[in-house]
Amino acid sequence: MRIGVPQEIKDREGRVALTPDGARALVGRGHQVLVQQGAGLGSGFADDEYRAAGASIGTVDEAWAAELVVKVKEPMEAEYGYLRDQLLFTYLHLAGVTPTLTEALLAAGTTGIAYETLEDAAGRLPLLAPMSAVAGNMAVTVGVQYLARHHGGRGVQLGEVLGVRHGQVLIVGDGVVGMHAARTARGLGAHVAVAGLDTKKGLQMRREIADDIHFFISDPGRIAARVADADLVIGAVLTKGAKADSVITEAMIRSMRPGAVVVDVSIDQGGCIETSRPTSHSDPVYVRHGVIHYCVTNMPGAYPRTSTIALTTATLPYVTALADKGLDFLAEDARLARAVNTWQGSLTCLPVAKALGLMQRYREFAPELDSVA
């Protein structure tokens, strides 16, 4: 199969969908890999490294002309013209981004396969996990940065100073983002509270990170009380494929001290903080009710080398299987099939169809039925 790797064009996005080692593995299985010139430079991978791995270097048009296009982020409006009836494997986040992308994918007949809705046999999201881990770590370091007085923050350092711990951190969500954020915040020495839905996750955090992490079952009243006292609030709520619920209300944000910081890691899926709106690495923050909001939609793009290596490690087995078997691979397992969001002009992800109010465009992904017909 011909596999294309375009350069990412989202604001300050340095990641690339495939490392040279990943390209080498695919070429070794008899596939053709074409990487857009310069696509890997943001992650520190030169064109010559891809050539040495057996890949070809070409233009943006050639990369998008492949049968299987692998990317990191959803297509930008400037890329809609490249969409056609190919396989597109990337983070799509259709429930959280502008509906124009969904319409463009449907109109082009693109089979849009989303990293974030692909489940493994245990129901986990293996392709979302590596970037969630990076974002969870980063959410704390970003909070540290903007809490500094010269960034308009409260002037509270999250950390331990001569045995005394400073800073109150609230993390709403107990998944991969929440776990990594808790580990980073507690490692600095901050006081950490986590609102979640799974008491087992709370026990795991206390066992693996620190026994003084305060875990509580997510409840509006308890969250509100913690938000009011927090220096940093991290939103890490995930509903598979669907728009995130706004669990932190505008009233809660109003209760925070001036110069406190919120980081909404859920912003790719619409955000879990009522006052959130998407921002970019070029213009990352804004102030609402005296609270600094950081809502960048491609947070791991700030650390492209680490992120690209971690992402390729996770995606390569699935890219390989798609290249080897095509859609037959996804049809083998209902959990894998949930990764298909658009197919033959229809929406095939039920949570996305509901979130966008496009149930009339919904159709179950079942290619074997078409072949029988």
Side-chain angles (χ1 to χ4, degrees):
M1 184 177 283
R2 287 178 293 118
I3 304 165
V5 183
Q7 184 174 9
E8 300 296 322
I9 65 170
K10 192 161 185 160
D11 179 63
R12 297 192 184 183
E13 180 54 75
R15 289 174 289 179
V16 64
L18 199 66
T19 63
D21 283 343
R24 181 178 291 107
L26 291 166
V27 170
R29 296 182 68 86
H31 301 295
Q32 302 173 38
V33 178
L34 191 144
V35 180
Q36 182 182 344
Q37 184 177 10
L41 293 178
S43 295
F45 297 116
D47 291 344
D48 283 346
E49 293 181 73
Y50 287 102
R51 289 191 183 97
S56 301
I57 301 298
T59 65
V60 58
D61 298 273
E62 290 170 328
W64 275 99
E67 299 164 83
L68 169 61
V69 175
V70 291
K71 287 181 87 281
V72 178
K73 291 302 293 178
E74 73 278 359
M76 301 288 99
E77 190 169 353
E79 297 172 304
Y80 291 178
Y82 296 116
L83 297 174
R84 52 184 182 78
D85 61 348
Q86 77 266 70
L87 303 178
L88 173 63
F89 197 25
T90 186
Y91 289 115
L92 287 174
H93 294 295
L94 295 182
V97 302
T98 171
T100 57
L101 172 58
T102 301
E103 293 293 348
L105 291 167
L106 295 177
T110 303
T111 299
I113 307 164
Y115 293 160
E116 74 274 6
T117 56
L118 187 148
E119 297 182 26
D120 63 16
R124 295 169 300 206
L125 303 172
L127 305 190
L128 191 60
M131 297 304 92
S132 294
V134 172
N137 292 337
M138 183 180 171
V140 178
T141 59
V142 163
V144 170
Q145 176 184 353
Y146 285 101
L147 278 169
R149 188 66 177 171
H150 60 265
H151 282 301
R154 295 195 65 228
V156 174
Q157 185 183 63
L158 304 181
E160 188 172 315
V161 179
L162 299 178
V164 179
R165 291 162 56 195
H166 295 266
Q168 300 287 339
V169 178
L170 171 64
I171 302 161
V172 182
D174 57 14
V176 176
V177 172
M179 180 68 74
H180 281 73
R183 180 177 289 111
T184 301
R186 185 61 188 85
L188 289 173
H191 298 278
V192 179
V194 180
L197 298 174
D198 187 348
T199 55
K200 292 180 181 178
K201 295 285 185 67
L203 292 173
Q204 181 184 358
M205 289 181 184
R206 296 186 67 179
R207 183 176 63 251
E208 296 181 4
I209 302 172
D211 61 9
D212 58 9
I213 286 179
H214 179 71
F215 181 92
F216 62 96
I217 295 298
S218 187
D219 167 84
R222 299 173 78 180
I223 289 175
R226 286 280 174 174
V227 167
D229 288 334
D231 299 299
L232 170 63
V233 173
I234 296 172
V237 173
L238 173 68
T239 304
K240 293 178 182 178
K243 188 179 184 303
D245 295 325
S246 293
V247 297
I248 300 171
T249 66
E250 185 166 359
M252 294 179 192
I253 296 299
R254 282 198 191 97
S255 74
M256 297 180 75
R257 301 181 185 93
V261 177
V262 297
V263 177
D264 195 344
V265 184
S266 302
I267 196 65
D268 274 327
Q269 290 293 116
C272 66
I273 299 171
E274 199 169 31
T275 49
S276 292
R277 59 173 172 79
T279 62
S280 67
H281 285 297
S282 293
D283 189 14
V285 299
Y286 61 92
V287 178
R288 187 84 182 272
H289 303 307
V291 176
I292 299 169
H293 289 59
Y294 181 98
C295 309
V296 173
T297 55
N298 58 328
M299 288 177 62
Y303 300 96
R305 180 79 179 189
T306 297
S307 297
T308 289
I309 293 170
L311 184 60
T312 297
T313 299
T315 60
L316 186 60
Y318 298 95
V319 174
T320 302
L322 275 171
D324 288 349
K325 303 179 182 180
L327 287 181
D328 288 342
F329 163 62
L330 296 176
E332 291 174 359
D333 188 294
R335 290 191 183 275
L336 295 174
R338 290 173 190 157
V340 182
N341 282 206
T342 63
W343 173 62
Q344 295 186 346
S346 296
L347 269 172
T348 51
C349 181
L350 187 57
V352 170
K354 289 179 176 178
L356 298 180
L358 292 174
M359 283 301 297
Q360 73 277 11
R361 304 294 299 274
Y362 174 73
R363 176 191 179 193
E364 184 178 357
F365 172 67
E368 70 278 2
L369 298 180
D370 281 2
S371 62
V372 171

